[in-house]
Structures are given as structure tokens and as C-alpha cells.
Amino acid sequence: MSEIPLPQAAKRVVPWWLLRHETMLAMILLIALIVLGGFNNRFLTLDNLLNQGRLTTEVGLIALPMTFIIITGGIDLSVGSIVGLCAILLGYSWKIFGLPLPLAICFSLLVGAAAGFLNGIVITKVKVPPLIMTIATLALYRGLAEGISQARSVRGYPEWFYFVGQENLFGVPAQLWLLLIAIVVAAIVLDRTTFGRTLYAIGNNETAARFSGLPVDRVKLIVYTLSGLMAGLSACVLVSRVTTTRSDMGIGYELDVIAAVVLGGTSIFGGVGTIWGTVVGLAMIQLLKNGLALTGVKGDATIVVIGTVLIFSTLVASSLQRRREGV
Amino acid sequence: MTAETLAGAEADPRRRLRVLASQEALLAIAVIGLAIVVGLYNPRFLAARNLSDVLLGNAYIAVAAVGMSMVIISGNIDISVGALIGVLATISGTLAVNGAPIVVAWLAALVAGVVVMALQGVIIAYLRIPAIVVTLGMLSVLKGGLISVTGGKWITDLPDSFHLADIELFGALPFPVFLMILVTILAALWMRYSASGRAIYAVGGSAEAARLCGISHPRTIVMVFALHGLFAGAAALLYATQLRVIQSTVPPNLELTIITASVVGGVSILGGVGTVVGSTLAAVLIAEIASALVFIDVSPYWIRAVQGVLILVTVIADILRRRRMAGA
């Protein structure tokens, strides 16, 4: 990113990596862990931490492509609705249309990808701003989920389907492996491939990226499709964990996802961000929820905290950025 | 805007066509056309009782959409307004039940609405944080705060005098409908003929040009949000007083309905264009569609999907139309 070592930076006593957003955040995370652990001895146990990993997977899977999207300067508010739509279609294609469950899972993933593709195609071809396009599909996809399900739920899935959501693999929650693999792949893609670097180029200056011959539209189309696909995957993991399908699944996911990404240092203005930051942001948000819950704060109050954290982390990040730019 | 007027002056017949093709006219035709078509299918839809219920029950959406339109015209967005209306309704109802003078209970909703929205306006305008981040954060603060403070307990036993929505003016005109029409006309006149109203369009059209004309960008944004808060307060009062109970929760997806009304009403998401007359007509149209679904035996669970399609179609049409005008 923009961390070109300036001459005076070399004279600083503090090494540069210590001042990075991710490092500072990781340190705050560590302190928060210790403090919360001190308040409650159930908090800092391996069991609890692994369980929190299980709970964060659904949001985490979506936060990775959201990092890509926000780096390009876009946003996707429809992810929660895509989760709802995919969950409903998973249940319905299995129970009502009688597809075998593996096929139903594929179908639901396909629908997720198609939903993301629709976002991407309208954003790139018609040039509708991502914010408005995804507000429209936030309504549309949730509306389809509600219309198709008619507020009925689907349950009674076969036993094997619950493996991903509820069992352990090598002592770690099964879906956490999914998230770990996705994190590694996303980090490599963002950091080490032309595709990943193109995302930064688009976010920094889309016109310049276009004139440099970068396939701007194609890359954007891919990230929005990916976002839909991962929301579909997240829906399958969610259904597997909670064993039922309802049309209100995934409501409010966009808040958790965007909060995690922005807290992780990805600039809402585009051009800046890392997967590692998002991972730390995710951990912060989940531990905040869990820590507050263990100290007796109710679930509704935790979204107050997440909302506040979202606003403040953006405030701090943008004022830091303004100072760095030397105004 | 100016380009349109100029083109109209050159070719008069085309100008008349333009007026017919304006968003407001299209919406008015749609509102009447839909009523006729659904009425032919099921005459009970046209019963005076049903039509007035549709207007009464949804006037608050039109009032809130007036503020939302200003916000969108200024180049911003607000997704916290649905949660805010829930909070304001609860504040007002709680005060009324606990024996505060009714006028105080009403005023409290308006004042709190202005304060919360102006605060968001300040963060957006002076600290330069995108509206989507600020209002998404505020949405969760208000929503979570409301449920954790009230526990979702319903407010009942509201004093009779609290119910603004029951008032009928001139013996026949229900107050919510009156307020909807009044707010729309006043806001439309103000935005068209006053300098401060025109400033909203200027800021949304081109922030840089507005600055060069001596319009303070941050001050205009804060003003827009404060007004939006005032309208949200008025909407909350209509919402709170139309039923005998206040549910102390955030009406689900209310912000989406309000945004739909503004966008379908012709307010351009690219900023700088649109009228509140359009947004009020669109609010009526959306309410009419929701009611019509029931009368043509379609499950009301489809209404959200219909809204999504409506936004999508309007937005795409708006952008294609602009592109054609720019190309021509």
C-alpha cells in the first residue's frame, strides 16, 4: 500500500510494522483478551475460544470477499439477504422439489453466485452505484426469500449434513477449517496475484486503472459474484449449525461484516486494506460479543457496541489517514 | 434541470410531452391506473373504506420519504431512519403514558429526531465519514438500544388525546393525510423557490460548484439531516398514534420502504435531482400495491420483492435516461 519508507521514518525509534493498523489492533485484541479473561474465568478457555470461532465462521466467510469489494471502493449491503435467500432455497429445493441434499447445496451456492453476479453486472454495465444497487437487492433478495418461504421453516435434515455446523475435525470445529482455508486463499490472492493488486489499483484510482489497461469491469464482476457465492456458502454452514431454515436468516449480517472489515483497517474510501486486518477485526467483534455476553450484557446491547465501534474506527482511521497525508 | 427547460423552450410540443413523461405524472397515472385495473378484478378494492385505510396507514411513510428525498438529493443516504422512527414513537408514547403533557410528548419526538439526525449530519459533513457507515452504525445503536432498554414491552393505555391520527379536519380529512399533503407542498415550494432549498440540489449536483457559488457544503448537509430528523419525528408521531399500542421495537425494514418511495419518486441516487411530490406519490403507489396484492389473492409476503424490483427498475431507467441525454 502507501507505506513507502520515507527518509524521516528511518530515524524513528519505533519500527514501522509496530505502527501498522493491524499490529495495533492485534495488540488491543490481546489486551482485551486478558482483561475479559480476568473478569470471567470461563472466557479464556480453549473450549470457549474454539466455540467463538465456530460462531464467527458465517460472518467471516462473507467478510473476506467484502474486504475485496471495499478495497475497490465499492460496498455490498445485500449479503445478509443473499444468506436468507440461499438458506430458503437450500431447504426448499431439498424438501419441496425433492433434490438430493448435495445437489440442493450446489443449487443454493449457484443461486448465491447468481445473486452476486446480478449485483456485479448492473454495477459494471449500467454503472449503478454499488450502494444503491445492493440496497435494491437487499430488498429484492429478502423479498424473494419471504415470498418463496411464506414464513414457513424447513427442518429435519439428514444427520450427516450437521457435520460441518456442529462437529469437530481434529479437535477444531469443522467449519473453522473452511474459514481458515478461505482466509489463506484470500490473503494469497490479495497479496500475491495480479488480480489482488488490481483491486488496490481500482480503489486508488479507477480511471487510472482503466487507462492502464486493467480489466476493471471484469475484476469487479468477479468480486461481487464471489461475495454472493460466499454468502451462499455461509448460508449452508449456518443452516447446518442451527438445523433449520427460515427466511429471516442473515438479517443484519451486513453490519457485522462491514464492521469487521472497517475495524480491520480497510478504508471505506477504497485502496487500502488487508485480509489479516479483517481477520483481526472479525476476532475483535466476536470476542466483544462473547465477552459482553459473559459479563451479563444482553445480545441486543452488543449491537449497540458494534455500531459504535464501526463509527469510531472509521473516524480514527480517516483522521489518521488525513494526518499521514500531511494536511 | 436547466438543460431540460431550454430544450422545452425551443420545441413547445415536445415540452408538453416532457411534462407528461415526468416522473410525477407517470406515478400519478400509475396510482390511478392500478386502482382501475385492480378494481376491475376485485371491486372491493375500490371501496372508500379500503382506499382511505391505505392512505391513513401509510401517510407516515410519505412524510418520512420527504426528508429522505432531501437527504438523497444532497448526495447522501440514511438507513437509520426506520430505527429512529421506532425509537421516537417509543419515547413519545412513554412520556404520554407517564403523565407528561401531550404536547410535550409530541414535541419530544420532534426534538429528539432533529438532535439524532443533526448529530449524524455533523459527523458526515464535518468529519467526512460516508453517510452509509454513520447511518449503518446509528441503525444498530438505535435498534439495539431500543430493545435492550424497553425489553420489547408494548406500551398500552395511551391517553386518548395522544392519538394525533384520530383527528379529523373539516369533518372529513384525517390528520395524517392532511399532514402528508401539507408537508409535501411546503417542502416542494421551499426546495424550488428558496435559496436554502435550492442549495440542497446544488450540493448534491456538484459539491465543488456549490462551494464556488458560496454555498457551505457542510452547513447544507447538517441542515438537510436536521430537517430529515424533524420529518422522521412527525412520521413517528403518525406511526405511534395510528394504533392503540406502541410495540417498542423497530418496524422491520421500514427504512427500505422509505428509500423505495424516494427513489421510485424520481429522486436520483446520483444526487441533485428529484422532487418530494414524486416521493409522496410513490409512497402512495407502494402502499396501494401492498394492498392490491391482497385483493388479487397474492400473498403479502411478496411485497418486499416487489419493492426491490421497483427500486431496481427506476434506478436503471434513471441512469439509462441520463446516459441517452448526455449522448444526444
Side-chain angles (χ1 to χ4, degrees), chain A residues 226-299:
Chain A
L226 191 66
S227 172
L229 177 68
M230 293 301 265
L233 184 61
S234 164
C236 295
V237 173
L238 179 61
V239 173
S240 166
R241 177 165 69 82
V242 300
T243 72
T244 171
T245 292
R246 288 202 327 257
S247 65
D248 63 353
M249 279 177 150
I251 282 186
Y253 267 31
E254 60 279 0
L255 171 72
D256 284 13
V257 170
I258 294 170
V261 173
V262 169
L263 186 61
T266 300
S267 164
I268 197 78
F269 303 100
V272 177
T274 61
I275 289 295
W276 304 119
T278 297
V279 172
V280 182
L282 273 171
M284 286 277 283
I285 294 225
Q286 189 57 39
L287 292 179
L288 206 62
K289 278 187 185 173
N290 178 230
L292 288 172
L294 284 178
T295 46
V297 179
K298 287 213 201 73

Side-chain angles (χ1 to χ4, degrees), chain A residues 126 132 139 150-151 300 304 307 322, chain B residues 127 140 144-145 147 269 299 319 323:
Chain A
V126 192
I132 286 298
Q150 297 293 317
D300 300 310
V304 177
R322 229 174 290 161
Chain B
L127 302 173
S140 62
I147 303 173
I269 35 143
S299 154
I319 290 189
R323 203 182 290 172

Side-chain angles (χ1 to χ4, degrees), chain A residues 125-129 131-133 136 139-140 143 146-147 150-151 255 268-269 300 303-304 307 311 314-315 318 322, chain B residues 77 127-130 132-134 136-137 140-141 144-145 147 269-270 299 301-302 304-305 308-309 311-312 315 319 323:
Chain A
K125 294 296 170 222
V126 192
K127 308 261 183 280
V128 174
L131 176 63
I132 286 298
M133 180 60 196
L140 176 62
E146 286 171 353
Q150 297 293 317
L255 171 72
I268 197 78
F269 303 100
D300 300 310
I303 61 172
V304 177
I311 296 178
T314 321
L315 269 177
S318 89
R322 229 174 290 161
Chain B
I77 189 86
L127 302 173
R128 278 177 277 166
I129 307 296
I132 182 64
V133 173
V134 178
L136 182 64
S140 62
V141 169
I147 303 173
I269 35 143
L270 303 172
S299 154
Y301 282 113
W302 286 104
R304 188 94 43 226
V309 171
I311 309 185
L312 216 55
V315 167
I319 290 189
R323 203 182 290 172

